[in-house]
Amino acid sequence: MRPARCAAALAALALLGPAPAGDTAAGPVVRTDTGAVRGIAAGGLRLFRAIPYAAPPLGAHRWAAPRPAASWPGVRDATRPGPLCPQVPNPYARVSSVQEDCLVLNVTAPARGARRPVLVWIHGDGTVGGGRFFDGRRLAERGVVVVTVNYRLGVFGGFAHPGLPGSGTFGLQDQQEALRWVRRNAAVFGGDPERVTVAGSSFGAAAITGHLASPGSRGLFGRAVLSSGEGMMDMPAAAMGEGVPAYPWYTWRTVREVEEAGRRTAAALGCGLPDAARALECLRAVPVGRVLGVPYVMNAFQAFAYGGEVLPELPPRALAAGRFARVPVLSGATRDEHRLFAGLLYDAAGKPLTGERYAELLRTAFGAARAPAVRAEYPDGGSVPPAHAWAAAVTDRMWARGTYAQHLALARHVRTYAYEFADRDAPWYLPAAGPFDFGAYHAGDTPYLFEEAEARRRFTPAQARLADAMADYWAAFARDGVPAGGGLPPWPAFEAGAAVPYTQSLAPGRIGPVDYAREHRLTFWERLERH
């Protein structure tokens, strides 16, 4: 059971069709292919919220491929946030929902102009959150149409069962349906359907790795942004919590593995019937609240299943072999990825990690024979608390190693731009935690791209300038496929064959190259893995 990942700010919505119906005193009206919507005009932007992109996945359509949304008469109000998909609160986001009619998206668009690049944001976590938490104004002010999406989460997005078509991929299929909606409707919001960038962080970035490899996603986007992506990452034992076993892939499971979890869940809900069709009929009748009440049920289905029609091949294998969509990619991670998890599991939760426990974690994760070498490379004591030493070891071994492998695989076939978010004083914007130095933590870069009131209030002038630069880079990449623009420091592409492939460090007061492999001691981990 992995701790859930991240939530962020406020939102926007939508896409293509015939032509804008016009602005009125009551708000701008746009006609999509399923009907007209009225949004909000503010600050030179237009915001449209909670536009259905797919039919409600209710009843027999729970755990089924998404269907196109039905048309509606008149003008639909798109001024208020839509429902969240079913979820339960966690330390990252204290929100909940039992609403299955949740497949909506939000659009934030410049008030004027046409043929604007479109950026579709897939939020992280996989068990909590929604598109409405991400406010796209900063990017829209730079001429980008920003779309944020709800998709089915946890057990509703990743459930699998024998005889169930699409097992383990319903959340991914929702995202594909949203991208198809964008292709059809981008133009009515001033967007260019031929310049769609799909972007995401954490679980959202892992989903994009799936889209790069999925046959059903081909042609739906022309650029990709992967922030703190987990697509080529494994997971040592205890890395995400004591008692959590090692997995060869952090994000991916075989269909058969997820089906086994589905059988156990069916039994827990009184639907463990030998006939698969009757078991599914029983499961689809269970109220949402009862499904969510099964212990750890959301986390048990957080991974994506491969080996079926949606993901025929293990995505890391597809990337390594060059069998993926040939689009430019911007890919990166934060400098201190794992401090978020180490902090919330231990010190910031009031359970400080001791040196003795640190030694036990190293033995669990890397084996008794290798643990002393890892502790010598990542010593605790003095000014380094054990939780920081543990976080550094896991950041390098799990996150940086997977990120670098992803850069190499992509760069051998497509133009790739690598980065590291390195603001070690990034404002904390998630729910309250105990005292801990989180550094440049996992998803700490999100408020530098999306408006987040608490983080923005705490930005120093240097951090505000970094946020502006990052938004400029991302907008330029969405526009031209290259993170470049007037006044921005140069950002060369990552070349897989270079002695030191270029990675852009993004920090207040310093944007420039970093030797990513050296900083994260990847040679040490390669040597350790060989012995």
Side-chain angles (χ1 to χ4, degrees), residues 221-287:
F221 58 94
R223 308 163 182 29
V225 180
L226 308 165
S227 299
S228 297
E230 304 147 350
M232 296 190 76
M233 194 168 87
D234 67 348
M235 183 168 67
M240 299 305 292
E242 297 178 29
V244 179
Y247 284 104
W249 300 107
Y250 190 68
T251 301
W252 318 108
R253 303 287 184 272
T254 65
V255 170
R256 182 170 295 182
E257 284 179 284
V258 189
E259 284 178 350
E260 285 301 316
R263 282 196 184 97
R264 292 192 295 271
T265 299
L269 290 168
C271 297
L273 305 171
D275 180 84
R278 288 184 58 217
L280 287 168
E281 183 180 358
C282 174
L283 285 164
R284 285 170 170 147
V286 176

Side-chain angles (χ1 to χ4, degrees), residues 151-472:
Y151 57 91
R152 283 174 283 182
L153 306 170
V155 65
F156 293 94
F159 183 76
H161 193 276
L164 177 61
S167 273
T169 64
F170 301 112
L172 204 68
Q173 291 185 65
D174 291 345
Q175 295 162 20
Q176 290 175 335
E177 186 67 21
L179 288 166
R180 285 190 283 268
W181 189 93
V182 169
R183 293 283 295 180
R184 299 194 308 272
N185 292 283
V188 297
F189 296 94
D192 183 351
E194 299 303 321
R195 285 192 295 170
V196 174
T197 297
V198 63
S201 176
S202 190
F203 183 85
I208 294 170
T209 303
H211 290 303
L212 288 168
S214 174
S217 300
R218 295 294 166 87
L220 296 180
F221 58 94
R223 308 163 182 29
V225 180
L226 308 165
S227 299
S228 297
E230 304 147 350
M232 296 190 76
M233 194 168 87
D234 67 348
M235 183 168 67
M240 299 305 292
E242 297 178 29
V244 179
Y247 284 104
W249 300 107
Y250 190 68
T251 301
W252 318 108
R253 303 287 184 272
T254 65
V255 170
R256 182 170 295 182
E257 284 179 284
V258 189
E259 284 178 350
E260 285 301 316
R263 282 196 184 97
R264 292 192 295 271
T265 299
L269 290 168
C271 297
L273 305 171
D275 180 84
R278 288 184 58 217
L280 287 168
E281 183 180 358
C282 174
L283 285 164
R284 285 170 170 147
V286 176
V288 171
R290 269 193 64 209
V291 176
L292 294 176
V294 175
Y296 307 114
V297 73
M298 293 298 276
N299 300 87
F301 296 96
Q302 192 171 355
F304 295 112
Y306 69 92
E309 184 178 353
V310 177
L311 284 178
E313 185 176 16
L314 175 68
R317 187 175 299 140
L319 261 63
R323 292 188 290 269
F324 64 91
R326 300 301 174 86
V327 301
V329 176
L330 192 155
S331 171
T334 70
R335 182 170 180 177
D336 304 303
E337 287 280 358
H338 207 71
R339 280 202 201 178
L340 176 69
F341 305 100
L344 293 182
L345 285 168
Y346 300 107
D347 294 39
K351 300 178 288 185
L353 188 65
T354 64
E356 181 181 3
R357 189 69 195 109
Y358 173 43
E360 291 175 11
L361 287 172
L362 291 176
R363 287 192 291 272
T364 300
F366 308 117
R370 294 174 175 176
V374 178
R375 193 169 193 180
E377 190 72 17
Y378 298 87
D380 56 321
S383 62
V384 182
H388 275 190
W390 170 241
V394 179
T395 291
D396 293 356
R397 166 59 182 76
M398 189 168 86
W399 295 91
R401 195 163 170 259
T403 297
Y404 198 70
Q406 179 173 272
H407 294 341
L408 290 171
L410 292 167
R412 291 188 183 104
H413 303 280
V414 300
R415 192 169 65 248
T416 301
Y417 297 92
Y419 76 90
E420 177 174 77
F421 176 77
D423 184 359
R424 293 187 129 169
D425 295 310
W428 180 256
Y429 69 98
L430 299 172
F436 186 71
D437 179 3
F438 285 97
Y441 59 95
H442 180 74
D445 51 345
T446 303
Y448 289 68
L449 297 167
F450 292 89
E451 287 295 329
E452 207 289 321
E454 179 62 19
R456 170 58 73 171
R457 183 182 65 79
R458 296 172 57 194
F459 274 168
T460 66
Q463 288 172 324
R465 288 192 294 272
L466 175 62
D468 286 341
M470 289 175 61
D472 288 342

